[in-house]
Amino acid sequence: MKWTGLNELRESYLKFFESKGHLRMASAPLVPQGDNSVLLINAGMTPLKKFFQGIETPPRKRVTTCQKCIRTPDIENVGKTARHGTYFEMLGNFSFGDYFKHEAIAWAWEYLTKVLEIEPEKLWVTIYEEDDEAGDIWANEIGIPKDRIIKLGKKDNFWEHGSGPCGPCSEIHFDRGEKYGPFESFEQASDCDRIIEIWNNVFTQFDNDGNGNYSQLKNKNIDTGMGLERLACVMQGVDNMFEVDTIKNIISTITNICGKTYGTEYKDDVSIRVITDHTRASTFMVGDGVRPSNEGRGYVLRRLLRRAARHGRLLGITKPFLTEVVDRVIEENKSAYPELVEKREYIKKVIATEEESFNKTVEKGSQLLNDLIGNIGEKGVLSGDDAFKLHDTYGFPLDLTKEILEEKGLTLDEERFKELMVNQKQTARANQAFKGGWDEASMNTVSGFTTNFVGYGTLTSETKVLAILKDGESVSECTEGDNVIVLIENTPFYAEMGGQVGDKGTITAGDSVLRVLDTKKIGSGQFICECIVETGSILVNDAVTAAVDEELRMATERNHTCCHLLQAALRKVLGDHVHQAGSLVDPYKCRFDFSHFSAVTPEEIAEVEKIVNTEILKGCPVITEELPIEEARKKGAMALFGEKYGNVVRVVSVSDGFSTEFCGGTHLDNTAKAGLFKIISETSVASGVRRIEAVTGFGVLDALNDAKHTLNSAAEILKAPNQNLLIQKCESIRDELSEAKKEIDKLERQLSASAMGDITENAAEIKGIKVFSAVLSGTVGDSLRKAGDDIKSALNSFIAVLAGHADGKGNFLCICSKEAVEKGANAGQIVKQIAAIAGGKGGGKPDSAMAGIADISKIDEALSALNGIVEAMLK
């Protein structure tokens, strides 16, 4: 057996199966494309399900891949052992109705024993107990001794998931030798990890009707899987994936940063493994377009990054460090995934921003959690309400709360936490179903029909009605007033995709008119029109005329073409790190979300507008063409992060290559038809994501008219006859207000000082410290703080609590002099206890703290408790 590096292993496997007539396909993105059944790709066959299920035709009947995968069900165990990880790569060779057991078994054996030169006597085979065919192939064609062919039951060696295609499995196992334990039986050797599975062949040959009845499939398939990291462990003679060459190099980078030695201290090893695995996973996830967020796959990413950052702190790393690890991850994987190098700066920026955000969160959250832990009773359980507040108000992740509690031998009322999360989601979000009674059953009703989109070249089509659905049921006719879903054979209506809204228009037959309100594409590929029957009636198989609303389509195309120009202009002004993070183009605006980590300045916005309008006024052609994907990439066409494209792609080039993108939407044929382009807003939508909204064509005129109306209204209110005088009038009012505020503040301080003089004269003295309180009506926020500053500058050896309120709202401010603090006074604790009496909460530092007042009627009652609190606190 020869030693082989992980990257060499990957390449040797793919080359071997290319030599057997397989098409080498690139790894699909980790973000599933058109598959909502999984959050992230978690197996080599997952992106190929559409071929196994017959939804799409595979590019070749024989395919081989090395697929990036993420699995996170046991994320809490990552690091605690060397066996768990979230990111891995899965090697696979697949047959879609082509070869079957003989070839799959023979090639697996050939690759392992001839290419990798693994000693045959170290390999064991398992088969399904009823699969005599596979047993005969292993014994008679390959020559495996029968005592090394182990028959196992359905639980271990039969793949099925509910009803549908299924079949037996045959696994190849490797014997790692005596250092892992004695060999008393195959089962015992597997339990002690002496024998480990390295290859799994799934022979998909049956169809399960769901009632335990199995029939032979007409087209039998092969689905194989082999973990690349596990194979590397075998070939390199190491115990686990953290000792494999490329991963070991990442660990070396981490130990260089923290000054620790891997393998000497268990607690340190746990943290090093967490950082290694989570940074690998995060690098690939960000590279495939996932961004940190509080839900879905974005939350998985956020959780991985924050867990890695926290374990850096446990290793004593006090500076941001994850981007250094990212650089090493990219270097170790660039031969197979060169796109990581192209996206390096973007990936590092996203991860650095999240790490910085977490560092701010963890400081505040850890302090609050420690306070809560200090008040946990004998049961040692943190309440779900407290955990929810940490999560919801302070952004402190639940898993981090659980991890810290676990380290201290404490637990959490997670059921209550989950209950509060469910309540929040139900309040904040309600999923709106597609109109017309559309659901999965409806999709099955129309799955046998084919719709052809002809709307790139025409806005009208003479066609026929294929199907009508009303209230989710297939009907033969629809009449005036009905809300229905209609499928037509040749449709000019563009379906909502890629950020472009669906077309509207009409479907007519004589005097009968269906108003098309929206167009969508369903999972099985058909374009469906949501309609209302305005007049007459329409029947299935009727010949009809379909017509897109030309005015709306043209307006949408203006916005879509300018969206492409906008991205190119942003990259030119802000830098190449700008990538699309989402978009919406409709007849009324262009909305573009993009990666950038600070607000776009007014000067930058002006420059972007100038560039886009320059390209519009040039009157340049907009060229759309279908190209092989490699040719499109050579032309510099930009692809969306995380999108999976076919072998042939549609490319839109605007302004002689100023912008070249993969795009399936509809566009102008010349930039001049956009008219003008105007940015109307620039905002933040998430950490590291900005949003620009812009208008084009008549939308620019509307925006200008709105601005003019606003200016005229303001001028009328301020009695300024023109714009120049309006500006002067605004400046004059601003100056007057500023002077008035200064005078008000001055008078408030004089009143406060006068009141303080009276209050301090009657202050109580407790253990040598003056203690007093006061109520300042009409004083809140900054004014209350200024009053506190005045006391600090005028007095020594005091404790003061001020209550300010205005308009039904109020605050307590507690300030303690240096002498008081030295005697045990703590402003944070004092104000916390006082505020609780008035239904408020708060805290702060020992010398200064603030709290809210929920019930201002209880201010006097709360302040009356001051002396007792101080008496108990002072030494």
Side-chain angles (χ1 to χ4, degrees):
M1 187 169 74
K2 59 184 180 182
W3 184 94
T4 308
L6 182 140
N7 286 319
E8 290 77 19
L9 274 174
R10 183 195 299 111
E11 184 61 23
S12 74
Y13 178 90
L14 295 172
K15 277 188 173 179
F16 175 79
F17 279 98
E18 280 184 307
S19 74
K20 303 300 183 183
H22 290 64
L23 172 67
R24 181 197 295 214
M25 291 179 64
S27 171
L30 286 166
V31 178
Q33 307 300 304
D35 180 1
N36 295 324
S37 66
V38 291
L39 201 61
L40 292 158
I41 296 298
N42 57 12
M45 65 82 64
T46 305
L48 308 178
K49 283 194 298 184
K50 58 193 176 186
F51 302 140
F52 284 115
Q53 294 170 345
I55 296 172
E56 291 185 22
T57 302
R60 193 181 295 178
K61 288 190 173 183
R62 299 181 182 185
V63 164
T64 184
T65 66
C66 182
Q67 176 61 46
K68 300 172 288 188
C69 300
I70 296 276
R71 291 181 188 171
T72 59
D74 55 359
I75 187 173
E76 293 84 2
N77 291 320
V78 173
K80 294 178 183 177
T81 74
R83 297 180 59 181
H84 291 91
T86 59
Y87 174 81
F88 62 98
E89 296 179 61
M90 187 64 75
L91 299 165
N93 55 284
F94 307 92
S95 168
F96 307 107
D98 187 25
Y99 64 83
F100 201 48
K101 292 181 185 179
H102 290 274
E103 296 87 346
I105 291 172
W107 290 337
W109 188 256
E110 180 183 351
Y111 178 72
L112 292 175
T113 61
K114 303 299 182 185
V115 177
L116 299 186
E117 300 177 8
I118 296 176
E119 296 92 325
E121 58 271 17
K122 291 187 176 181
L123 297 176
W124 290 68
V125 170
T126 63
I127 60 171
Y128 176 50
E129 59 190 359
E130 297 180 12
D131 191 2
D132 294 333
E133 181 184 6
D136 289 342
I137 295 171
W138 280 116
N140 301 325
E141 296 183 21
I142 305 301
I144 300 287
K146 290 189 176 181
D147 62 352
R148 293 219 310 276
I149 301 174
I150 309 299
K151 292 186 175 184
L152 298 175
K154 260 193 173 185
K155 178 182 176 183
D156 297 297
N157 273 61
F158 195 94
W159 182 89
E160 62 182 336
H161 187 71
S163 61
C166 56
C169 309
S170 179
E171 298 172 343
I172 304 174
H173 298 251
F174 177 78
D175 183 353
R176 300 203 284 178
E178 291 184 2
K179 74 173 183 176
Y180 293 92
F183 193 103
E184 298 169 1
S185 67
F186 177 83
E187 291 78 8
Q188 170 271 327
S190 296
D191 290 341
C192 71
D193 279 347
R194 171 171 173 166
I195 285 186
I196 59 171
E197 175 210 333
I198 58 173
W199 195 309
N200 185 19
N201 280 295
V202 179
F203 308 126
T204 311
Q205 64 185 94
F206 299 115
D207 184 39
N208 177 5
D209 66 0
N211 297 311
N213 301 310
Y214 297 88
S215 57
Q216 291 281 344
L217 288 171
K218 181 180 179 181
N219 293 316
K220 298 176 174 61
N221 302 317
I222 290 291
D223 162 21
T224 76
M226 178 163 59
L228 176 59
E229 290 84 357
R230 180 172 289 193
L231 180 63
C233 288
V234 168
M235 299 307 298
Q236 296 176 21
V238 297
D239 287 347
N240 57 73
M241 71 173 188
F242 292 99
E243 297 176 16
V244 169
D245 58 331
T246 57
I247 303 172
K248 190 175 178 181
N249 292 340
I250 298 168
I251 285 178
S252 294
T253 297
I254 297 166
T255 55
N256 286 338
I257 294 170
C258 68
K260 306 282 187 178
T261 302
Y262 184 65
T264 59
E265 180 68 39
Y266 173 72
K267 286 181 67 177
D268 292 342
D269 289 353
V270 169
S271 293
I272 290 168
R273 287 193 288 263
V274 167
I275 296 166
T276 301
D277 172 79
H278 290 4
T279 311
R280 287 180 79 216
S282 299
T283 299
F284 281 96
M285 288 175 72
V286 176
D288 280 347
V290 182
R291 298 191 59 85
S293 70
N294 288 329
E295 59 184 9
R297 59 185 68 94
Y299 179 67
V300 173
L301 174 60
R302 171 159 285 167
R303 191 177 175 195
L304 292 171
L305 285 172
R306 294 192 165 191
R307 198 162 184 258
R310 177 173 181 266
H311 277 273
R313 286 171 167 257
L314 294 179
L315 290 172
I317 303 172
T318 57
K319 63 174 184 177
F321 72 98
L322 289 179
T323 55
E324 293 181 56
V325 186
V326 169
D327 274 327
R328 174 49 56 192
V329 172
I330 292 173
E331 288 304 307
E332 296 300 326
N333 291 278
K334 64 183 181 182
S335 61
Y337 303 104
E339 64 271 17
L340 292 176
V341 178
E342 298 171 16
K343 300 172 183 174
R344 182 194 299 265
E345 293 310 312
Y346 170 77
I347 294 169
K348 288 171 65 177
K349 189 67 176 178
V350 169
I351 290 176
T353 301
E354 183 64 19
E355 184 179 14
E356 180 184 354
S357 172
F358 175 70
N359 286 340
K360 294 175 182 176
T361 298
V362 79
E363 291 284 355
K364 180 70 173 175
S366 295
Q367 179 185 341
L368 292 166
L369 180 56
N370 287 333
D371 289 343
L372 292 169
I373 288 172
N375 294 321
I376 287 180
E378 293 181 0
K379 291 184 178 180
V381 180
L382 180 72
S383 75
D385 294 78
D386 285 337
F388 180 76
K389 181 178 179 182
L390 279 170
H391 169 81
D392 189 53
T393 306
Y394 300 102
F396 203 70
L398 175 66
D399 60 289
L400 189 51
T401 299
K402 289 167 61 178
E403 198 165 313
I404 292 172
L405 290 171
E406 184 182 327
E407 290 168 1
K408 298 180 182 294
L410 304 171
T411 58
L412 163 72
D413 182 358
E414 196 166 349
E415 287 304 312
R416 173 59 177 162
F417 176 89
K418 289 178 179 177
E419 180 185 335
L420 292 168
M421 286 295 292
V422 169
N423 292 342
Q424 183 194 57
K425 288 179 180 178
Q426 287 175 343
T427 302
R429 189 171 53 194
N431 292 325
Q432 185 178 6
F434 185 61
K435 296 177 183 176
W438 187 258
D439 57 17
E440 190 171 345
S442 307
M443 189 184 298
N444 294 335
T445 303
V446 302
S447 60
F449 295 106
T450 300
T451 59
N452 306 306
F453 177 61
V454 296
Y456 287 134
T458 182
L459 296 182
T460 60
S461 174
E462 300 299 326
T463 183
K464 75 171 183 176
V465 176
L466 298 175
I468 302 171
L469 281 84
K470 179 182 177 183
D471 298 326
E473 299 291 332
S474 179
V475 296
S476 60
E477 180 182 12
C478 56
T479 58
E480 189 170 322
D482 286 347
N483 287 290
V484 291
I485 300 295
V486 174
L487 276 76
I488 56 176
E489 188 171 39
N490 298 309
T491 177
F493 300 107
Y494 182 83
E496 180 181 338
M497 284 182 291
Q500 180 175 331
V501 298
D503 278 331
K504 299 180 180 182
T506 58
I507 298 172
T508 58
D511 294 332
S512 299
V513 178
L514 277 72
R515 177 68 54 188
V516 178
L517 306 175
D518 200 0
T519 309
K520 293 185 181 296
K521 183 180 179 181
I522 60 175
S524 48
Q526 296 94 338
F527 283 26
I528 61 173
C529 295
E530 176 193 349
C531 306
I532 184 169
V533 185
E534 290 191 340
T535 58
S537 61
I538 297 284
L539 282 73
V540 172
N541 291 322
D542 271 358
V544 293
T545 300
V548 175
D549 186 313
E550 183 175 3
E551 184 177 334
L552 293 179
R553 168 73 85 83
M554 281 293 294
T556 300
E557 290 181 350
R558 291 187 195 100
N559 288 324
H560 199 163
T561 299
C562 285
C563 196
H564 285 220
L565 291 173
L566 172 60
Q567 177 168 216
L570 285 168
R571 287 172 63 84
K572 192 169 184 178
V573 173
L574 304 179
D576 290 341
H577 65 278
V578 169
H579 286 278
Q580 181 175 331
S583 69
L584 173 66
V585 288
D586 62 22
Y588 313 105
K589 65 181 177 300
C590 149
R591 190 181 78 197
F592 185 71
D593 297 347
F594 59 98
S595 52
H596 191 55
F597 302 91
S598 60
V600 184
T601 67
E603 294 77 15
E604 289 167 336
I605 287 175
E607 181 63 20
V608 168
E609 284 183 333
K610 181 178 179 182
I611 291 171
V612 173
N613 282 304
T614 297
E615 298 304 319
I616 290 171
L617 295 175
K618 283 180 181 177
C620 294
V622 179
I623 306 298
T624 58
E625 53 189 338
E626 291 192 347
L627 298 171
I629 190 165
E630 290 306 320
E631 185 179 339
R633 286 197 170 110
K634 287 176 184 177
K635 289 187 69 170
M638 289 187 66
L640 278 176
F641 270 147
E643 282 289 333
K644 178 70 175 174
Y645 296 95
N647 293 325
V648 177
V649 294
R650 191 166 184 267
V651 176
V652 177
S653 300
V654 187
S655 290
D656 299 324
F658 174 78
S659 165
T660 305
E661 296 186 31
F662 293 17
C663 183
T666 65
H667 286 270
L668 303 172
D669 57 15
N670 190 288
T671 59
K673 293 183 179 180
L676 281 174
F677 170 87
K678 179 66 182 174
I679 293 174
I680 56 175
S681 69
E682 192 276 342
T683 56
S684 170
V685 290
S687 177
V689 180
R690 309 297 300 181
R691 169 173 292 172
I692 280 179
E693 291 197 358
V695 289
T696 62
F698 292 107
V700 176
L701 291 177
D702 292 339
L704 291 173
N705 288 331
D706 288 345
K708 184 178 180 181
H709 176 72
T710 300
L711 286 172
N712 289 339
S713 298
E716 185 177 344
I717 292 168
L718 296 175
K719 294 181 170 47
N722 58 58
Q723 287 190 26
N724 290 332
L725 290 178
L726 175 62
I727 294 169
Q728 292 175 18
K729 191 76 172 178
C730 289
E731 290 173 342
S732 174
I733 292 172
R734 179 199 62 196
D735 294 341
E736 288 173 11
L737 289 173
S738 178
E739 288 301 317
K741 188 176 185 306
K742 289 177 184 177
E743 187 64 24
I744 291 169
D745 289 343
K746 179 181 175 182
L747 291 170
E748 283 183 346
R749 285 196 296 273
Q750 288 173 353
L751 289 169
S752 296
S754 176
M756 287 302 152
D758 295 336
I759 293 163
T760 54
E761 282 182 11
N762 300 315
E765 187 166 317
I766 301 175
K767 298 180 183 180
I769 301 295
K770 288 183 177 181
V771 180
F772 59 92
S773 62
V775 179
L776 304 177
S777 300
T779 304
V780 290
D782 289 342
S783 297
L784 196 62
R785 291 188 186 92
K786 286 176 182 176
D789 291 341
D790 291 340
I791 294 174
K792 280 184 181 179
S793 61
L795 298 177
N796 296 313
S797 302
F798 71 91
I799 297 172
V801 175
L802 307 179
H805 64 90
D807 301 323
K809 298 178 181 179
N811 297 100
F812 287 117
L813 169 68
C814 179
I815 45 178
C816 300
S817 68
K818 179 181 177 184
E819 296 83 1
V821 172
E822 289 172 351
K823 286 194 172 189
N826 186 306
Q829 292 299 320
I830 293 170
V831 84
K832 182 178 181 181
Q833 293 180 56
I834 286 176
I837 297 170
K841 293 182 180 181
K845 299 177 182 178
D847 65 337
S848 179
M850 286 191 80
I853 301 172
D855 185 352
I856 61 173
S857 69
K858 292 188 177 182
I859 288 176
D860 290 338
E861 180 186 345
L863 292 179
S864 68
L866 175 61
N867 289 357
I869 294 169
V870 172
E871 183 76 42
M873 184 175 289
L874 292 183
K875 299 173 185 175

